[in-house]
Amino acid sequence: MRISFVFGTRPEAIKLAPVIKEFARNNLFELNICFTGQHKDMVIPILKLFNINIHVNLETMSKDQQLSEVVGVMFTEIGKYLSKIKPDVVFVQGDTTTAMVAATVAFFAGIKVAHVEAGLRTNDIYSPFPEEFNRVVISKITNFHFAATKNAFNNLLNEGVSSEHICLTGNTGIDALVFASKNKSHNLLKFLPEHVLDKKIVLITCHRRENFGLKFKNICKAVKELSEKFPDVNFIYPVHLNPNVNSPARKLLSDIDNVILIEPIDYFDFVQLMNKSYLIITDSGGIQEEAPSLNKPLLIIRENTERQEGVTAGTAILAGTSTRKIVERTTTLLENKDLYLKMTKIKNPFGDGMASKRIHEYLESKLK
């Protein structure tokens, strides 16, 4: 039984890595790993950390591509790849352009599709863009839906997917986090000086397409205001390589003593940095899922989130993207000790570290 895993971004690699390792233990399955190159400088180090080798690198990305150009190239190259490999099942993860195209091409070829982290919805086709479109399309053509939460499971049921084709798994990102947390060889001092780590840390990540432009400038303004309001707090921001993020971030935040801009760091180091932080400000979906396992309160800098479970449970606060709201909500968490402690004690609603095992067992039972 041949299974192809197709991915292109760092979050996909992180969340598929434990699934790949789980399936690799079973001689019933022949695995083929395909990387589309969507995050070409950020994925290979992840795979090395998890000791996973790719079989095919499609190298679909080039400078200044429009989204339509990316999609066009991927349809062609993934089509050639699947025609050559002829897998029985194609695994995709999440809601990236790679996932949507790979699932669609597999569907065209009559190949079964397995979708990890199925059923996320904001019910606004433009937010996040194009991720909401991508995941809705994938769900229409998927054979095996692996829903991370009960909300996602119910979303699929409400769209007419039979419960026989859905497996409630938990999130594979938590599996990766558990694996990474056991690795003690990574030292934050190799990229951050001790005097930075000795202070209270607010960790920041921001990279989503929906926040490009004015929203991103507002977020940077909020960080600047917070740095002035809390001079004894260090705001650490590993800046994404995308020029829509990198250029304005460095222009607006470079000359502030307690705002530390660093290059993207490997996943294991990033887990250590999350663990060292006091709280996290992010637009990342994966970090929304991971932070509660590390008992770190979270501020979501988006207008809405498809991971509502964290907001409902109380592990996260939806801050929006206005400068004023971000400053207000961050100030509350930095000053209100009772609220902060309450948020650190809530059980993670996104998973328990066993998702990959459930995916493997479910698919094996379906393919026998």
Side-chain angles (χ1 to χ4, degrees):
M1 182 72 64
R2 180 172 290 175
I3 295 180
S4 176
F5 289 84
V6 184
F7 54 87
T9 68
R10 174 182 162 116
E12 288 171 286
I14 291 168
K15 291 184 174 184
L16 283 178
V19 183
I20 293 169
K21 293 181 78 67
E22 187 68 34
F23 275 85
R25 297 188 183 100
N26 189 337
N27 292 331
L28 174 66
F29 301 111
E30 176 190 346
L31 307 189
N32 193 276
I33 315 301
C34 176
F35 174 47
T36 65
Q38 201 174 335
H39 285 175
K40 57 185 178 181
D41 296 322
M42 301 173 72
V43 168
I44 300 302
I46 292 293
L47 299 178
K48 287 180 180 178
L49 290 172
F50 285 94
N51 197 27
I52 293 171
N53 296 316
I54 60 172
H55 298 95
V56 179
N57 185 344
L58 298 180
E59 298 183 335
T60 59
M61 302 301 287
S62 59
K63 190 175 180 180
D64 297 327
Q65 281 173 303
Q66 297 296 314
L67 181 58
S68 58
E69 294 174 304
V70 175
V71 171
V73 173
M74 284 189 181
F75 264 108
T76 299
E77 296 304 318
I78 294 175
K80 292 177 183 176
Y81 162 74
L82 292 182
S83 294
K84 181 178 179 180
I85 299 299
K86 295 181 171 56
D88 299 286
V89 179
V90 171
F91 262 88
V92 298
Q93 192 283 328
D95 46 30
T96 66
T97 299
T98 289
M100 183 274 289
V101 174
T104 304
V105 174
F107 172 72
F108 289 166
I111 301 167
K112 289 182 170 62
V113 176
H115 186 200
V116 176
E117 203 172 289
L120 292 183
R121 297 291 185 270
T122 62
N123 296 311
D124 178 351
I125 201 68
Y126 294 105
S127 180
F129 177 85
E131 288 85 357
E132 181 76 359
F133 167 83
N134 289 342
R135 53 196 175 216
V136 170
V137 169
I138 296 169
S139 292
K140 295 294 184 185
I141 53 179
T142 288
N143 304 90
F144 309 108
H145 304 258
F146 298 109
T149 66
K150 189 66 176 177
N151 282 0
F153 190 102
N154 289 335
N155 287 338
L156 293 167
L157 289 179
N158 292 337
E159 293 175 5
V161 179
S162 169
S163 61
E164 294 180 12
H165 303 302
I166 312 171
C167 178
L168 182 61
T169 62
N171 199 289
T172 60
I174 308 305
D175 300 23
L177 182 72
V178 170
F179 181 83
S181 297
K182 294 176 181 177
N183 189 302
K184 304 298 183 184
S185 64
H186 290 247
N187 187 353
L188 296 180
L189 288 172
K190 68 186 179 184
F191 57 89
L192 286 169
E194 191 170 357
H195 69 85
V196 171
L197 296 171
D198 283 344
K199 289 187 176 182
K200 186 178 289 185
I201 292 171
V202 173
L203 176 60
I204 300 161
T205 79
C206 185
H207 71 281
R208 295 184 78 96
R209 182 185 296 268
E210 68 196 82
N211 280 339
F212 291 175
L214 180 60
K215 288 181 180 179
F216 187 76
K217 290 179 181 178
N218 288 340
I219 292 165
C220 288
K221 288 178 184 177
V223 173
K224 183 176 181 180
E225 285 190 25
L226 286 164
S227 71
E228 294 168 351
K229 189 172 185 177
F230 297 97
D232 292 330
V233 174
N234 281 326
F235 297 82
I236 300 178
Y237 181 8
V239 185
H240 199 281
L241 298 175
N242 189 311
N244 292 292
V245 172
N246 204 288
S247 296
R250 296 191 181 281
K251 181 179 179 180
L252 295 168
L253 298 173
S254 281
D255 298 322
I256 305 170
D257 287 344
N258 59 332
V259 176
I260 297 93
L261 305 181
I262 61 175
E263 296 297 315
I265 57 179
D266 76 40
Y267 177 64
F268 288 8
D269 285 333
F270 188 76
V271 170
Q272 298 285 346
L273 185 54
M274 283 198 292
N275 208 24
K276 178 69 175 173
S277 301
Y278 186 75
L279 65 89
I280 302 171
I281 300 173
T282 188
D283 64 359
S284 163
I287 295 172
Q288 289 180 54
E289 298 152 354
E290 294 164 345
S293 287
L294 300 172
N295 308 116
K296 303 300 176 182
L298 194 79
L299 284 164
I300 305 169
I301 44 177
R302 292 174 57 186
E303 297 304 325
N304 52 37
T305 178
E306 59 282 352
R307 294 166 175 84
Q308 192 62 37
E309 294 88 347
V311 177
T312 301
T315 61
I317 295 171
L318 190 61
T321 56
S322 83
T323 301
R324 179 182 60 81
K325 288 182 179 179
I326 295 169
V327 171
E328 286 178 355
R329 285 159 174 72
T330 305
T331 297
T332 298
L333 270 181
L334 287 171
E335 294 182 342
N336 187 330
K337 191 75 172 180
D338 291 339
L339 174 61
Y340 177 87
L341 290 174
K342 180 181 178 182
M343 292 179 72
T344 66
K345 294 175 182 177
I346 298 170
K347 182 181 177 181
N348 191 341
F350 293 107
D352 59 4
M354 299 295 290
S356 300
K357 183 178 177 63
R358 295 185 186 105
I359 290 169
H360 172 256
E361 290 176 349
Y362 176 88
L363 193 63
E364 185 178 33
S365 70
K366 290 293 183 180
L367 295 177
K368 279 183 178 178

